[in-house]
Amino acid sequence: MKAAVFDSGIGGLSVVKSLLARRLFDEIIYYGDLARVPYGSKDPNTIIRYSLEALEFVNNFDADILIVACNTASSYALEELKKTARFPVLGVIEPGVLALKNSGVDKNDRVLVIGTKATINSDSYQRLLFSEGYKNVTAIATPLLVPLVEEKIFEGAIVDEVFKYYFGKLDGFDAVIMGCTHYPMISGSLANWFNNAKLVHSGDAIVEWIEKQGVLAPIKGETKLRLFASENVNHLKEVASQWLNLP
Ligand code: DGL
């Protein structure tokens, strides 16, 4: 089976990391729109147009499924992508909420959703959480965390200062949905800050979702990973070799 994974930039490698660990696919085609990242500050029509253009690129590869790793694209463009694609399209929002539910987080627990401005403004996570019965949901945009991760600053004084800025006045939470591809890279710092609240990681949530469908058995060898970008593919490859420990 061949999966295409699409993200606005490098962040979707956090989803690829989970997919590689579980060896669900023979081949993964990753496409990052590095020329136009970030999507999180763009308006909905632009996000939909860029996502459909990404699908056109992916169409060259005969993929069996498109995984939209980008939370922002999943929030706005999933329906259009599903209508247009010749193969199944899976976004990260629904698997994320199901992973939260399956991990035993109670409907009365305090749930925090963090993501880009666009993801939070779309209400995508909040709507689904409310429809699943979660009553105590707080959602805040935390865009400053993206450049920190891109600068490989995963912990320490600067991260703590940004956390204080965003979370300093908030009470504790039982669960945190990391609603942005970059945030799993700072999950250690988030776990410390939120006193080991349950953290939901989109990549692990996607894997859990796919495994629950029961249609894919783990492959025998390694997954072949091919990396593509709308510009600066060398940067994507460098980050991939660090994050994914590639040779
Ligand atoms: N990949 C985006 C997401 O998960 C974060 C970076 C961006 O703003 O494009 O929402």
Side-chain angles (χ1 to χ4, degrees):
M1 289 278 273
K2 192 192 283 187
V5 176
F6 156 56
D7 183 48
S8 56
I10 58 170
L13 292 171
S14 64
V15 171
V16 169
K17 193 169 187 165
S18 304
L19 294 171
L20 291 179
R22 300 302 286 226
R23 299 182 177 198
L24 288 175
F25 296 100
D26 300 293
E27 189 172 351
I28 293 176
I29 307 290
Y30 182 92
Y31 175 69
D33 192 2
L34 272 72
R36 304 190 289 196
V37 65
Y39 283 15
S41 53
K42 307 275 188 305
D43 75 42
N45 287 334
T46 307
I47 296 164
I48 293 170
R49 179 161 58 84
Y50 287 178
S51 301
L52 289 172
E53 286 169 12
L55 173 62
E56 273 175 38
F57 178 79
V58 163
N59 276 339
N60 295 315
F61 295 94
D62 216 13
D64 299 294
I65 183 171
L66 170 63
I67 295 174
V68 184
C70 180
N71 289 261
T72 308
S74 294
S75 295
Y76 289 98
L78 203 62
E79 289 317 308
E80 290 298 322
L81 287 169
K82 281 183 176 169
K83 266 192 253 162
T84 316
R86 299 189 297 262
F87 34 75
V89 181
L90 177 60
V92 283
I93 312 295
E94 202 182 331
V97 171
L98 286 181
L100 178 93
K101 202 174 142 192
N102 293 338
S103 71
V105 175
D106 190 81
K107 301 285 158 81
N108 294 311
D109 283 349
R110 293 153 305 171
V111 178
L112 174 66
V113 183
I114 53 177
T116 65
K117 281 193 178 123
T119 296
I120 299 303
N121 288 342
S122 77
D123 243 14
S124 57
Y125 276 112
Q126 300 93 306
R127 248 183 293 127
L128 203 50
L129 285 163
F130 286 129
S131 75
E132 289 292 342
Y134 288 93
K135 299 175 191 75
N136 295 315
V137 177
T138 304
I140 55 172
T142 52
L144 286 174
L145 299 178
V146 171
L148 284 183
V149 170
E150 303 227 335
E151 286 299 319
K152 301 189 205 79
I153 302 171
F154 302 139
E155 58 186 3
I158 304 177
V159 174
D160 291 343
E161 212 42 54
V162 175
F163 281 4
K164 207 192 301 169
Y165 173 70
Y166 285 131
F167 312 132
K169 295 203 171 72
L170 301 177
D171 290 335
F173 291 95
D174 302 295
V176 178
I177 295 185
M178 298 186 285
C180 173
T181 46
H182 289 61
Y183 301 169
M185 302 307 293
I186 49 167
S187 59
S189 296
L190 285 167
N192 280 341
W193 182 274
F194 289 109
N195 289 323
N196 297 317
K198 165 78 196 159
L199 298 185
V200 176
H201 177 312
S202 298
D204 295 345
I206 288 268
V207 166
E208 192 180 318
W209 195 94
I210 294 172
E211 286 180 342
K212 278 220 156 55
Q213 306 306 303
V215 286
L216 292 182
I219 58 160
K220 294 252 161 36
E222 298 286 322
T223 302
K224 180 176 175 198
L225 175 63
R226 296 174 68 195
L227 299 167
F228 298 90
S230 49
E231 73 170 25
N232 211 352
V233 74
N234 286 339
H235 177 57
L236 176 67
K237 287 180 177 168
E238 269 167 40
V239 177
S241 69
Q242 287 166 6
W243 288 10
L244 309 175
N245 300 319
L246 297 180

